[in-house]
Amino acid sequence: MFIKVKDKNQIETVEKLAKDIWIEHYTPIIGKSQISYMLDKFQSAAAISSQIDKDMEYFLILDEGKEIGYMAVEQRKDELFLSKIYIMASMRGRGLGKKAVDFTVKIARKRKLGKIILTVNKNNLSSVKAYEKMGFVKRGTVIQDIGNGFVMDDYRMEKVI
């Protein structure tokens, strides 16, 4: 179900999934121009490769052998940062997000880490609700200037394990 991203073809698959998922999901939340900017800056093949080189771990999410999403984690001292979980719209509502969080919990436990943290756009209400249902609690807000006149306005959430 989860395959660690290691090669160029897998990175290109993540890039394509990112484009498809982000355009569908985030257009009503942050608009086309910010999506375009963020895809180029954070989810292009070059950006993903750079993140992997800096210890971000990407995983393809598969269902019946088909790539239907991706996720990424990064260890930060005594906690695991869940950087992203993105699943194709046609595959949502089937418990795959929960399976991805469960997979993240296994990684954190194996590394003896006490909690998982994440950030989520304040207006991404369906994701905020899903994270809360899976045991994450809001622990503040983070507003980050990402350049080009754009900001990320997020909740910081955590799950103690």
Side-chain angles (χ1 to χ4, degrees):
M1 170 140 239
F2 301 93
I3 296 176
K4 190 166 186 175
V5 173
K6 296 180 180 178
D7 65 36
K8 182 182 177 193
N9 288 337
Q10 291 170 324
I11 289 170
E12 289 172 354
T13 298
V14 170
E15 178 185 47
K16 182 182 181 330
L17 283 164
K19 183 178 180 185
D20 293 344
I21 294 167
W22 279 49
I23 289 170
E24 175 272 323
H25 186 76
Y26 284 105
T27 298
I29 298 171
I30 60 175
K32 290 179 184 179
S33 57
Q34 186 167 345
I35 290 168
S36 178
Y37 175 76
M38 290 179 72
L39 283 171
D40 184 56
K41 183 170 176 115
F42 301 116
Q43 297 294 268
S44 65
I48 294 164
S49 293
S50 176
Q51 292 166 35
I52 290 171
D53 289 345
K54 295 175 183 167
D55 294 328
M56 180 81 66
E57 298 171 84
Y58 273 79
F59 297 88
L60 284 166
I61 302 171
L62 280 71
D63 185 63
E64 297 181 5
K66 183 177 186 236
E67 295 101 351
I68 54 92
Y70 67 100
M71 61 179 287
V73 298
E74 178 182 43
Q75 186 168 333
R76 296 182 176 174
K77 297 181 184 175
D78 63 342
E79 57 193 22
L80 191 64
F81 177 56
L82 177 53
S83 176
K84 48 194 69 65
I85 298 176
Y86 297 113
I87 297 171
M88 293 169 45
S90 63
M91 301 302 288
R92 291 184 204 135
R94 299 179 53 198
L96 296 168
K98 181 176 181 343
K99 287 180 182 179
V101 169
D102 291 345
F103 178 70
T104 305
V105 169
K106 287 179 187 175
I107 293 169
R109 284 189 176 142
K110 184 176 179 183
R111 297 177 186 182
K112 300 182 181 356
L113 304 174
K115 65 183 166 183
I116 299 167
I117 61 167
L118 60 83
T119 56
V120 58
N121 185 288
K122 289 177 187 175
N123 295 310
N124 190 352
L125 302 178
S126 61
S127 294
V128 171
K129 184 177 179 180
Y131 287 128
E132 288 175 332
K133 187 176 178 183
M134 291 183 267
F136 285 85
V137 177
K138 292 176 191 161
R139 294 288 187 216
T141 60
V142 179
I143 298 174
Q144 182 181 3
D145 184 339
I146 57 170
N148 211 36
F150 298 116
V151 297
M152 291 194 302
D153 188 8
D154 297 337
Y155 288 119
R156 181 184 187 280
M157 299 183 80
E158 73 176 30
K159 178 181 178 84
V160 175
I161 55 170

